[in-house]
Amino acid sequence: PDLLHEEISPWQVLTALCSAIFDGEVNGAIAFVMFGGFALCLPLVDMLLLLFAACGLHGGFAGSLLGKVMAVSRVLRKLSMLDVAITGIAVVVLALQSFREKGVILSLRWGWLALLGAVLCHYSMAFLVSCAHRHSPIEARPAAPDPEVQV
């Protein structure tokens, strides 16, 4: 019955998946990459890129580097799966409500809301930085020399 009263954090999940990998389970490796990489690390890296872009925009830089950072951020945002993970957690917990009669009680706790808040912050920051980048003035480029003017 101690096992039935567990609260599991994402870090405990990753630790358990690491031990499964060391036991030779290929599914554990796939789950580690999907959850640890796509659901946890990619949104973090994307937020760091968005922070870099926001600081660059605030500093008045609107060059090609920020354009590349925003392009990489867009790709990472498409690959990140934190929103998919929290939706999957909610679906599994709600689908297993029928097991309450048999004594198996699953519930969403505050950590799920924290992950949901992280997703909302991620999308909000991406929207705001993308809008700021779109409306930023293009960095002044040096004029091309006039071929008729000789110095």
Side-chain angles (χ1 to χ4, degrees):
D2 283 341
L3 183 63
L4 297 178
H5 298 285
E6 287 287 323
E7 290 190 20
I8 308 293
S9 72
W11 311 119
Q12 290 172 318
V13 170
L14 291 177
T15 304
L17 288 173
C18 280
S19 67
I21 291 169
F22 289 128
D23 289 340
E25 291 190 32
V26 176
N27 289 336
I30 293 170
F32 184 83
V33 169
M34 294 295 290
F35 187 69
F38 289 101
L40 297 179
C41 287
L42 284 183
L44 177 65
V45 172
D46 187 28
M47 285 294 282
L48 292 173
L49 288 175
L50 289 169
L51 179 64
F52 176 79
C55 291
L57 288 169
H58 180 70
F61 303 111
S64 64
L65 177 63
L66 286 183
K68 290 177 184 174
V69 167
M70 291 303 294
V72 171
S73 173
R74 245 187 323 276
V75 170
L76 290 182
R77 197 166 35 257
K78 297 288 185 188
L79 292 175
S80 68
M81 294 189 181
L82 183 57
D83 53 350
V84 175
I86 63 171
T87 303
I89 291 167
V91 167
V92 167
V93 168
L94 295 174
L96 294 177
Q97 292 299 313
S98 61
F99 285 102
R100 279 185 177 268
E101 302 158 352
K102 296 178 182 165
V104 178
I105 300 171
L106 297 175
S107 62
L108 297 174
R109 305 296 279 191
W110 66 271
W112 184 82
L113 291 175
L115 290 175
L116 181 62
V119 167
L120 294 176
C121 287
H122 182 208
Y123 284 146
S124 299
M125 185 168 177
F127 175 75
L128 292 173
V129 174
S130 294
C131 286
H133 183 257
R134 253 192 323 272
H135 298 314
S136 68
I138 297 175
E139 190 173 64
R141 297 184 183 122
D146 191 359
E148 294 180 10
V149 177
Q150 302 262 338
V151 179

